[in-house]
């Protein structure tokens, strides 16, 4: 997209992007500004956020606000919730901030695991609760939740991380079920391995991964945004054969009407008293 196109992109409201100081979130911020969104950028590192805000403003002439906040800390999280509740220009929430690790469950520090849950689950949930009532009242708005392929393949990395991302997927599916008819769009994005600081931060250098399974962050975000524009509920940028997801989802839906019964399944040999 050239600068003239960027400057003339139709205004789409404001997107609040969490974890915008690096990696996937920083690319979302840039791409969304190019598509006509003003931005609120959220993360802890003010210096990196300010540098990104300046670059995006120069490139796109969109308004970019920076909110430095530790989303794992209740008082800072509350400031971002207030912003989402009170700023009616916000039309898109990108719940991207998250941390992961590859350490086995039993070898992991439980305090670190609960800090991961605080960020990946609690913050994402509270921010969604802060944003969605306004979207419903105004009859439009969207939430993009960054899950992960480990949400459906929890054996791949640390299981608490996989559990948090399974939560994000299930929460997104349920939000869509509840809110689609009220004008609120929801997308869960399930990236595979993506080349960002995530790996170094989580204790596994990117260089140790097979490059054939690692996507660049710009490619991942561009594919995810194409999925968003195609109104996908679940987007898996690295899954080439979408029929595999469709079969998985069809099997889940077909089973769902058989999951509750007054009689234990015959294989458990329970005789009612
Ligand atoms: P990243 O480059 O490490 O980005 C993580 C972002 O989250 C940073 O902007 C970081 O900024 C922010 N963050 C971390 N802790 C925070 C806190 N307590 N409060 C506020 N912000 C915080 O990694 P990434 O790959 O872009 O990760 C983005 C999302 O993608 C995560 O949800 C991750 O689980 C998901 N994902 C990544 C991959 C992958 O392979 N990279 C695959 C699947 C899913 P500050 O340090 O400035 O706070």
């Amino acid at each position: 997209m050239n600068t003239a196109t960027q400057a003339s992109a139709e205004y789409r409201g404001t997107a609040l992007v969490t974890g915008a100081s690096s990696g996937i979130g920083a690319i979302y911020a840039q791409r969304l500004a190019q598509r006509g969104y003003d931005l609120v950028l959220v993360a802890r590192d003010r210096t990196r956020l300010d540098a990104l805000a300046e670059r995006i403003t120069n490139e796109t002439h969109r308004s970019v606000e920076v909110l430095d906040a530790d989303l794992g800390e209740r008082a800072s999280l509350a400031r971002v919730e207030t912003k989402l509740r009170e700023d009616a220009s916000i039309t898109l929430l990108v719940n991207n901030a998250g941390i992961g690790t590859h350490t086995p469950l039993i070898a992991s520090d439980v305090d670190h695991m609960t800090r991961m849950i605080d960020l990946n689950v609690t913050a994402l949930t509270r921010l969604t609760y802060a944003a969605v009532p306004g979207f419903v009242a105004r009859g439009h708005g969207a939430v993009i939740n960054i899950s992960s392929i480990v949400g459906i393949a929890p054996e791949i990395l640390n299981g608490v991380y996989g559990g948090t991302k399974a939560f994000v997927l299930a929460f997104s599916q349920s939000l869509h079920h509840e809110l689609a008819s009220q004008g609120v769009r929801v997308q869960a994005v399930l990236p595979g391995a993506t080349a960002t600081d995530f790996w170094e931060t989580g204790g596994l250098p990117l260089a140790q991964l097979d490059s054939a399974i690692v996507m660049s962050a710009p490619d991942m975000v561009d594919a995810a945004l194409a999925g968003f524009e195609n109104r996908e509920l679940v987007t898996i940028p690295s899954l080439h054969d979408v029929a595999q997801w469709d079969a998985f989802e069809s099997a889940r839906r077909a089973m769902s009407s058989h999951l509750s019964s007054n009689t234990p399944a015959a294989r458990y040999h329970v005789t009612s008293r």
Side-chain angles (χ1 to χ4, degrees), residues 18-26 42-46 48-49 69-73 95-100 119-120 146-150 157 161 165 189-199 201 206 209 217 220:
T18 69
S21 64
S22 68
I24 291 168
V42 180
R44 292 167 302 181
D45 189 328
R46 176 96 207 186
R48 285 198 298 185
L49 289 174
D70 181 342
L71 298 176
E73 200 265 313
N95 274 315
N96 163 75
I99 50 170
L119 180 62
N120 296 8
I146 307 302
S147 173
S148 164
I149 56 155
V150 301
L157 292 176
Y161 178 63
K165 294 302 183 178
V189 178
L190 278 61
T194 309
T196 68
D197 295 347
F198 171 89
W199 293 94
T201 309
L206 200 54
L209 300 187
M220 201 296 287

Side-chain angles (χ1 to χ4, degrees), residues 29-204:
Q30 191 225 13
R31 298 303 202 250
L32 291 171
Q34 288 175 339
R35 282 166 166 76
Y37 287 92
D38 287 342
L39 298 172
V40 180
L41 306 180
V42 180
R44 292 167 302 181
D45 189 328
R46 176 96 207 186
T47 308
R48 285 198 298 185
L49 289 174
D50 283 340
L52 180 67
E54 189 182 342
R55 182 162 61 77
I56 291 176
T57 310
N58 290 338
E59 280 173 15
T60 66
H61 310 293
R62 298 250 61 111
S63 151
V64 185
E65 186 181 339
V66 162
L67 260 185
D68 55 319
D70 181 342
L71 298 176
E73 200 265 313
R74 235 2 123 81
S76 304
L77 177 58
R79 281 195 287 119
V80 185
E81 291 176 56
T82 301
K83 176 74 181 167
L84 285 163
R85 268 194 295 270
E86 294 183 352
D87 186 342
S89 78
I90 295 175
T91 52
L92 173 63
L93 166 63
V94 183
N95 274 315
N96 163 75
I99 50 170
T101 176
H102 68 101
T103 49
L105 280 181
I106 301 306
S108 306
D109 171 23
V110 70
D111 290 331
H112 181 59
M113 297 295 102
T114 54
R115 281 196 297 278
M116 192 189 306
I117 295 168
D118 288 345
L119 180 62
N120 296 8
V121 174
T122 307
L124 177 142
T125 305
R126 293 193 66 97
L127 295 178
T128 304
Y129 266 82
V132 160
F135 293 167
V136 170
R138 296 188 285 278
H140 69 98
V143 182
I144 296 175
N145 286 329
I146 307 302
S147 173
S148 164
I149 56 155
V150 301
I152 52 173
E155 297 84 0
I156 292 178
L157 292 176
N158 169 279
V160 175
Y161 178 63
T164 67
K165 294 302 183 178
F167 172 89
V168 174
L169 174 60
F171 184 53
S172 304
Q173 289 169 314
S174 179
L175 277 174
H176 167 76
H177 177 69
E178 206 169 301
L179 298 174
S181 63
Q182 298 177 69
V184 181
R185 288 204 45 213
V186 180
Q187 182 196 28
V189 178
L190 278 61
T194 309
T196 68
D197 295 347
F198 171 89
W199 293 94
E200 201 72 51
T201 309
L204 179 64

